[in-house]
Amino acid sequence: MMAATSTMCTQTTRRYLLWCANEHIEFRLPELESIALMFNIPITWIDKPKEDPYVILEMNSENDARKLMSRSMLVRSCFELWGQGENEAELHASVKSFPNNLMKPHLAKEKTFKVRVESFNKTLSISEKLKKIESLSFLPFEGSVNLKKADTCLHLIEYYGLQPNEVPIIPFKSFLGRWVVEGQRELIDKFSLKRRTYIGSTSMDAQLAFIMSNCAQVQPGHVVVDPFVGTGSILVSAAHCGAYVWGWDIDYLTLHARTKPTRHSQKQRQAGESIFSNLKQYGLEHQYVDVVVMDNARPCWRGVPYVDAIITDPPYGIRESIECVGSLKVPKDFEDGSKQQSSSAHHFPSKITYSLSDIFRDLINFAAIHLVIGGRLVFWLPVFREDYHESMIPSHPCLELLFNSEQVLTVHSSRRLVTFCKTRHPQEGETATAQVTDLTASFREKFFQASLMTKQERASMKSRFPRDKRGQGLGYRLLEAQNNAKIIKMDDVPESETINRDERQTISQEPNTDIEDLSCLEETAETDGLRKVQRNNTDSEKEENFKDAKNKSVTP
Amino acid sequence: MKLITHNMLTSKGIKNVKEGFPLKIQADEVKNVDIDFDREFISRMIPKLDWNALTFAAQCVGHQEDLPDTLPEGYENDDDLLKKLHHILLEVEVINGCLECPETQRKFPISNGIPNMLLNEDEV
């Protein structure tokens, strides 16, 4: 899209193999494309990111490759690709066709070298590895071997698939590459929340926070804001990328670090805990500007475009409540005491539910006004997987949707990392034109409805929405799975719950019935006559119960 | 609260308030912090600032530092001015005090350096 269309491996472009981490598969493309565009690096995909951890692309120089890797969180290592093949002969032929003038300098007399054999999804013994190294003896090695600190590190990489129980004898693919540079995976440990000074119940995982900053193309000197700042975990990653950071949140106690500690071992908040101290912990205190207690339903910012990137994780109403200032009381209640109340410094305003669709509508309208042109908005959108359709992603005429990738949270719900780019300033009357579907608002409700699912329903959902063993979504497989699997309407869920309730009622009404037998019936298939009869009898009741359940789940 | 933040804050969320800008600063405790000078960042921020609000804020916290009445041309090359602005925008911090709406005189408290811009339920 952004790169030259030539797919030939010419003198000017070189092929690079990126060995990616075997997680967050859907985020690889958005991350790499964002970084490449940010640094103005032309890239051409040869082998786009997919299920396996290997990505091949063409870049103009090793310098570009280094720049790309200087930010990538999802790439483990980058290699100059010397050859690849599905069997040894193919690999060797491919390596032999690699331009000699590119290979020779690295294997020259004055260079020390080493060869490493790395396998994915299989452990090779030392003798097997040695055999494989010896098979590469046709290469024009002239220098001497240095296993500790070699100038040239060649890696023979073998891919044995993703199934740990079905490991083939011969690898599916083999690559030979010269190691160039590592990605930024070490930051995951360095910035781990385990050692973060101040965290809360929904602090953003370090890796994801960095991926968000990459999607937002955060660069030194940028202004980055987080309107739902919480404990500031996203600001940490943005500040690490050189941005000056602002954050705001409606929760006074969170910003002043007076909430209950969420660490298992911690009883009380320490004196030094704050968003500022989180930045200071990594020597980023110079990047900290301010945090403000503010209601996103009524932001107090002057309407000028001064923000380079908005990166945020709004509350979903599951672990963090969704609130804005307001009152359900009739306003006249306040008439007398209003003056007094306003001037009190210690008054905590009453809050009402801030519906999820309003949260996103306000966020997007805010972005349309305050982002600079070309600035990015990156946020998480919680979705109920059953309902999800691309049309659920909010829109605004001034914002262009760039990426949208899924992270699976539970069997039934996930969140999508959405990246927007501002293309122009809004005209008069266009400032509040964000489109958000009502489905967004019903996420919370559905989430809690789904927690009432029976075992079988859960299992059938699992098969419909596959995840790998780490719980990652497999978006590229999703379509196929959806077509093949049986479709279950979520509306059935509370229904079956009420049936169970009805059955329990029958138990208490008919003391003669064997309880154990009935519980078995519950577990067995739908063909059970008793169950069917009860269903028919209680249809109207069910509907009522369902409504009740709905109402209950809305009120916090 | 740093003065760069003050330059962006308004009280327009209050019912019937039109501009709500600039907010008057009542500073009970002010702290000076050391921040690395970042020429590029300051130059990038200057066009986005409201100059009158900045001089007003500097006056409020007693850091007038002989700022010119208007933003002079060619400020990008005036290192002295950039450093002065760097100091006023990023290094002066109001720790305790309040911000006052110019139209309604409603006060927003600042405590531990964090302004509380929340409105009460009867003001929205």
Side-chain angles (χ1 to χ4, degrees), chain A residues 374-445:
Chain A
R376 288 193 171 189
L377 165 66
V378 176
F379 64 91
W380 291 99
L381 179 76
V383 296
F384 200 70
R385 300 184 82 187
E386 178 92 9
D387 290 341
Y388 174 74
H389 183 267
E390 226 168 290
S391 63
M392 263 184 82
I393 305 295
S395 66
H396 191 284
C398 300
L399 299 171
E400 185 196 349
L401 176 66
L402 298 180
F403 305 110
N404 157 27
S405 356
E406 183 187 37
Q407 184 199 11
V408 178
L409 297 175
T410 68
V411 173
H412 47 74
S413 31
S414 65
R415 56 180 180 179
R416 308 191 75 94
L417 186 62
V418 182
T419 305
F420 278 106
C421 178
K422 177 162 161 181
T423 51
R424 62 177 173 88
H425 290 304
Q427 291 154 359
E428 193 90 11
E430 231 184 13
T431 48
T433 47
Q435 295 291 312
V436 182
T437 62
D438 290 339
L439 276 174
T440 311
S442 58
F443 169 74
R444 184 179 185 276
E445 197 179 318

Side-chain angles (χ1 to χ4, degrees), chain A residues 220-223 244 246 250 252 255-256 258 285-286 288-295 298-306 308 325-327 334 338-339 341-343 345 347-351 372, chain B residues 1-13 21 34-38 40-41 44-45 48-50 89-90 93 106-109 111-124:
Chain A
H222 274 186
V223 170
Y244 287 82
W246 272 266
I250 196 170
Y252 180 93
L255 294 193
H256 287 270
R258 289 203 215 139
E285 64 270 28
H286 296 280
Y288 174 90
V289 187
D290 265 317
V291 293
V292 181
V293 183
M294 199 186 291
D295 181 2
R298 284 163 206 90
C300 304
W301 301 104
R302 197 151 60 84
V304 286
Y306 65 97
D308 294 294
V325 171
S327 171
F334 292 107
S338 66
K339 280 264 158 60
Q341 227 170 32
S342 304
S343 57
H347 173 70
F348 278 77
S350 76
K351 290 166 186 166
V372 299
Chain B
M1 185 202 66
K2 297 175 197 278
L3 297 195
I4 193 171
T5 306
H6 168 266
N7 209 278
M8 298 296 169
L9 283 178
T10 73
S11 58
K12 66 182 175 192
F21 184 78
D34 274 332
I35 302 286
D36 292 343
F37 177 55
D38 182 343
E40 215 171 301
F41 174 65
R44 277 188 75 210
M45 285 313 286
K48 289 159 189 164
L49 297 176
D50 182 301
L89 288 169
L90 296 174
E93 267 196 64
R106 154 58 146 117
K107 284 182 175 157
F108 298 95
S111 54
N112 290 322
I114 302 176
N116 181 355
M117 301 302 291
L118 282 191
L119 297 168
N120 290 333
E121 53 274 25
D122 53 329
E123 295 169 308
V124 299

Side-chain angles (χ1 to χ4, degrees), chain A residues 83-97 172 174:
Chain A
Q84 60 170 316
E86 286 178 11
N87 53 52
E88 202 176 76
E90 226 179 271
L91 174 72
H92 288 182
S94 164
V95 172
K96 278 169 190 162
S97 71
F172 290 118
S174 305

Side-chain angles (χ1 to χ4, degrees), chain A residues 500-535:
Chain A
N500 289 344
R501 220 180 287 156
D502 293 340
E503 276 170 4
R504 260 175 248 131
Q505 276 169 13
T506 3
I507 294 166
S508 54
Q509 278 162 12
E510 299 166 44
N512 293 337
T513 323
D514 191 338
I515 293 170
E516 266 181 28
D517 272 354
L518 253 181
S519 61
C520 287
L521 288 173
E522 266 183 44
E523 300 280 332
T524 49
E526 306 235 329
T527 45
D528 191 325
L530 174 70
R531 187 163 170 161
K532 267 196 172 164
V533 172
Q534 281 179 344
R535 262 199 170 176

Side-chain angles (χ1 to χ4, degrees), chain B residues 66-112:
Chain B
D66 36 274
L67 275 182
D69 290 340
T70 52
L71 176 63
E73 297 233 346
Y75 62 84
E76 305 94 324
N77 304 315
D78 186 346
D79 244 31
D80 274 355
L81 181 67
L82 291 179
K83 279 188 180 151
K84 214 180 275 175
L85 285 170
H86 163 77
H87 173 68
I88 289 171
L89 288 169
L90 296 174
E91 295 189 321
V92 178
E93 267 196 64
V94 181
I95 304 299
N96 286 306
C98 59
L99 295 168
E100 191 183 301
C101 168
E103 289 165 48
T104 62
Q105 278 70 52
R106 154 58 146 117
K107 284 182 175 157
F108 298 95
I110 303 171
S111 54
N112 290 322

Side-chain angles (χ1 to χ4, degrees), chain A residues 54 65 91 95 108 176 210 280 427 466 493 496 527 538:
Chain A
Y54 305 103
L91 174 72
V95 172
L176 181 72
F210 278 107
K280 202 172 171 200
Q427 291 154 359
V493 175
S496 58
T527 45
T538 55

